Amino acid sequence: MLQRTRCVDADIIDGFRTVPVANVSDVMERVWSAPASIRPIHDGTPMCGPAVTVRAAPGDNLLVHKALDVAEPGDVIVVDAGGDLTNSILGEMMITHAIARRLGGIVIFGAIRDFDTLKTWSFPVFAAGVTHRGPYKNGPGELNVPIALGSMVIEPGDVVLGDGDGVITVPFVDANSILEAAQKKHAKELAHMTDLQNGVADRDWIDAKLRSLGAKF
């Protein structure tokens, strides 16, 4: 069980709150993403915060309980439970504790329960599935170590974002440059959307692309 030694600055976190996950994904070459099975369980409120990571045995939440106690306000707890959906990792009681501690959200590569309650709450919870079966508390596990959700590696202190499109992580060392690129991408898309709403659309690029691929018309 390790202490987190780094964390993205609060102003960078606030900046990421202004851009959708899709724009961040675009500027990260569309290859850095949590599994598509990890979906919002709550009412859809966006999530953004620095990561506290947990590696847990499938169906076991002992180290998740510890993470709830050591995480700081605004932190997002990210749990690699192996993607196993046999037993839930947490439910409404643990989420209530997370809310009381003013955490920023929870991501579970595994299952949760109490879905009918959690789906009405604004506290961000993302998970790969739902089951009524409860968890074990036997361990083993690790806290604040590098983990992976599918092919996406997450280290303690990285930025974790989530919305209706899914979950993505921005590495600590790249946070500044990715934020700047994502904000530019978002501004460009907003301007393009205004043009589309006004009936202005540049479609010449489509024919140019087709010709570059050898199309004849």
Side-chain angles (χ1 to χ4, degrees):
M1 189 161 53
L2 302 176
Q3 298 293 324
R4 188 172 62 188
T5 59
R6 63 181 190 175
C7 185
V8 173
D9 291 341
D11 59 338
I12 296 177
I13 295 295
D14 288 341
F16 274 110
R17 296 186 197 282
T18 68
V19 292
V21 165
N23 289 153
V24 178
S25 177
D26 285 345
V27 302
M28 295 179 71
E29 305 300 332
R30 304 183 175 99
V31 297
W32 198 261
S33 175
S37 61
I38 298 179
R39 305 298 305 154
I41 302 298
H42 59 297
D43 70 356
T45 299
M47 175 185 70
C48 181
V52 170
T53 61
V54 179
R55 180 179 290 119
D60 193 287
N61 72 359
L62 179 61
L63 265 291
V64 182
H65 276 281
K66 183 60 177 178
L68 289 173
D69 289 342
V70 303
E72 300 176 0
D75 283 348
V76 174
I77 295 176
V78 186
V79 182
D80 173 15
D84 184 82
L85 305 181
T86 307
N87 296 81
S88 62
I89 297 297
L90 51 74
E92 63 178 306
M93 286 193 289
M94 291 178 72
I95 296 300
T96 298
H97 183 49
I99 293 171
R101 301 208 66 243
R102 297 184 289 121
L103 303 188
I106 297 180
V107 180
I108 306 289
F109 190 28
I112 60 93
R113 67 178 178 180
D114 301 325
F115 172 76
D116 287 340
T117 298
L118 298 182
K119 71 180 182 181
T120 68
W121 289 5
S122 61
F123 182 83
V125 181
F126 292 78
V130 178
T131 179
H132 54 78
R133 290 180 173 177
Y136 300 101
K137 296 175 174 60
N138 302 320
E142 295 179 284
L143 179 61
N144 279 326
V145 297
I147 62 172
L149 306 190
S151 61
M152 185 177 74
V153 175
I154 305 168
E155 297 192 44
D158 288 351
V159 183
V160 184
L161 301 100
D163 62 19
D165 285 336
V167 173
I168 195 168
T169 295
V170 178
F172 174 89
V173 296
D174 299 322
N176 278 309
S177 59
I178 290 174
L179 174 58
E180 181 179 351
Q183 288 176 326
K184 289 180 179 178
K185 173 72 172 177
H186 187 46
K188 183 177 180 180
E189 287 196 354
L190 290 176
H192 188 202
M193 182 65 72
T194 299
D195 287 343
L196 291 173
Q197 291 169 341
N198 292 329
V200 178
D202 177 12
R203 311 299 287 172
D204 292 342
W205 67 270
I206 299 174
D207 289 348
K209 180 66 174 181
L210 289 170
R211 289 192 180 94
S212 74
L213 296 172
K216 300 182 185 300
F217 48 89

